[in-house]
Amino acid sequence: MDDRKYILEMNNITKEFPGVKALDNVTLKVEKGTVHALMGENGAGKSTLMKCLFGIYHQDQGEILLEGKKVDTNNSKEALELGISMIHQELHPVKYRNVMENIWLGRFPEVKFGPLKFIDSKKMYNDTTELFKSLEIEIDPKIKAGDMSVSKLQSMEIAKAVSFNSKIVIMDEPTSSLTENEVEHLFKIINSLRDRGVAIIYISHKMEEILRISDDVTIMRDGTLVGTWRAKDLTTDLIISRMVGRELTNRFPPKDNKPSETIMKIEDFTSPSPKSFKDISFELKKGEILGVGGLVGAQRTELFEAIFGLREVEKGSMFIHDKQVKIKSSTEAIAHKMALLTEERRATGIFPALSIVENTVIASLSNYLNKFGLLNEKKRQKDTQEYIDKFRTKTPSIKTAIKNLSGGNQQKVLLSRWLLTNPEILILDEPTRGIDVGAKYEIYSIIIELAKQGKSVIMISSEMSELLGISDRIMVMCEGKLSGIIDREKANQEEIMKLATKYMV
């Protein structure tokens, strides 16, 4: 008999969308003052279940009990009023407003002067300062949100959730963009909230984190509940086998690509910004997977966006097939057979309201025009379906809006988009961020197969195991400088970390 006392009970939750049953009779029970991990492959139903709790969706069947009382959350405002907060994986602050305005948005403190009401900025500042102090967060309440790093924005969102006096805080992939030190600080905040009796529902694909921070772990698969276990009774292998329904003995596919001649050479690339990259030189070989490591702030993304023509370069030269080229726009980069899969797929990758077909062909539309300048719809659909089959993309239809796909399947669509441009050089910025272990394996297989076909792949990654698992060489950056390039056979985590911190004061 289960005699545990639960602050939250989601019983027999079912939710259907056109063509797909996202949740099928799922039950989740969370104790007060615990960290409860929610795990599963992309598309398992984790986010849908949490959106039902937070009022973004309404379940078709089932009930939600909060402290033993049945509740109905029809929107996020009602959920917040009940003491349920959610920190989404993709952060969407009001960038042009300051931190304290973002935290108290929609509930600014007011001061009255006769019949008039004004925002009490002094109280808002003091309340924000006290809130940050209680969580040991060091952020200037008056700084613009758009001027902060992802980790600072994450801390701001946590503080905002706490400011609602939440009983339950949902955290969706909270460490996906954080350094190890920032993760440690986040865990300190989580432990503080747990000690206060707050229940944390923690969604993550990072096994080591889950086993370290969680009290309980619930695993879902294909919209159904697999089960709930005490974290102390689980291992990484057990979690993986229960998530994917099979043993995954190797996290990385076998590598059989063979790098050959140099295809691209970068010499002395330097940004006009003194805080960005400086004097970067490296070579990329045909059929090579060049991993790029470094901590947040190393300027990896900025460097490769400059190579792709999205950022200005103060000095430096680029050679492709031994010919010097100048690339000042993404159009020119594509013309030189380059492709860039961006770091933030939802912010700068997908067109969320458009279909899979439209998202797949949008970078190569000129190839689908007939002699009258009209789009050849039959050819668009044929090519899209071909890549869906090739990458085993899970979708009800090629006309489904891409926003309704899981992160791993969205990433496959974006890869399909760029492969239709027939690139020789693919720059993949954090290609497996927020993707489960099963989908990661599929993405790795695609990357290795592309390299085997002679395409050159640059893979920027914050996961050292990933860099070591599929790269041929690993290029490490620190503080905008190139700190070293090492062969995969000679690389290890200690060496990469040493290079990643080489120029830190």
Side-chain angles (χ1 to χ4, degrees), residues 135 158 162 171 189-198 200:
L135 295 170
I158 291 169
V162 172
M171 296 185 179
I189 293 173
I190 289 173
N191 286 327
S192 170
L193 294 176
R194 174 164 48 191
D195 292 344
R196 297 184 200 179
V198 177
I200 311 287

Side-chain angles (χ1 to χ4, degrees), residues 345-412:
R345 65 175 170 268
R346 290 188 182 168
T348 55
I350 67 170
F351 294 88
L354 298 184
S355 71
I356 293 168
V357 173
E358 290 162 319
N359 271 278
T360 301
V361 304
I362 201 162
S364 50
L365 278 177
S366 59
N367 297 336
Y368 298 93
L369 298 176
N370 62 24
K371 61 183 180 180
F372 303 109
L374 300 174
L375 285 172
N376 184 334
E377 187 59 30
K378 188 175 180 181
K379 188 172 186 296
R380 289 205 310 164
Q381 292 187 14
K382 177 179 173 290
D383 287 354
T384 300
Q385 188 62 54
E386 188 178 308
Y387 273 102
I388 285 173
D389 295 341
K390 185 185 291 186
F391 291 164
R392 296 197 296 276
T393 308
K394 292 180 183 175
T395 175
S397 159
I398 62 174
K399 295 183 179 179
T400 298
I402 195 172
K403 66 182 178 182
N404 294 329
L405 300 190
S406 67
N409 288 305
Q410 287 178 357
Q411 203 72 307
K412 290 178 185 179

Side-chain angles (χ1 to χ4, degrees), residues 286-288 419 422-424 426 450-457:
K286 182 177 181 179
E288 177 183 35
L419 291 176
N422 192 29
E424 292 181 346
L426 285 99
L450 292 172
K452 188 178 174 182
Q453 292 169 11
K455 298 187 185 297
S456 303
V457 181

Side-chain angles (χ1 to χ4, degrees), residues 385-497:
Q385 188 62 54
E386 188 178 308
Y387 273 102
I388 285 173
D389 295 341
K390 185 185 291 186
F391 291 164
R392 296 197 296 276
T393 308
K394 292 180 183 175
T395 175
S397 159
I398 62 174
K399 295 183 179 179
T400 298
I402 195 172
K403 66 182 178 182
N404 294 329
L405 300 190
S406 67
N409 288 305
Q410 287 178 357
Q411 203 72 307
K412 290 178 185 179
V413 173
L414 293 180
L415 275 169
S416 304
R417 174 197 294 173
W418 285 115
L419 291 176
L420 277 172
T421 67
N422 192 29
E424 292 181 346
I425 299 166
L426 285 99
I427 303 168
L428 310 179
D429 197 347
E430 302 286 2
T432 66
R433 173 172 289 169
I435 292 177
D436 65 79
V437 66
K440 278 185 178 182
Y441 190 92
E442 292 181 338
I443 297 292
Y444 298 148
S445 299
I446 291 167
I447 291 171
I448 292 169
E449 180 59 31
L450 292 172
K452 188 178 174 182
Q453 292 169 11
K455 298 187 185 297
S456 303
V457 181
I458 296 168
M459 183 186 72
I460 304 168
S461 177
S462 297
E463 292 191 34
M464 278 197 267
S465 60
E466 187 168 87
L467 291 170
L468 293 164
I470 70 166
S471 303
D472 296 299
R473 293 183 300 149
I474 301 168
M475 165 178 159
V476 187
M477 292 180 65
C478 175
E479 301 288 327
K481 299 175 185 175
L482 176 60
S483 44
I485 299 178
I486 44 181
D487 289 334
R488 176 197 186 203
E489 292 77 13
K490 299 174 183 175
N492 55 52
Q493 293 202 11
E494 291 76 16
E495 182 66 21
I496 293 173
M497 185 54 70

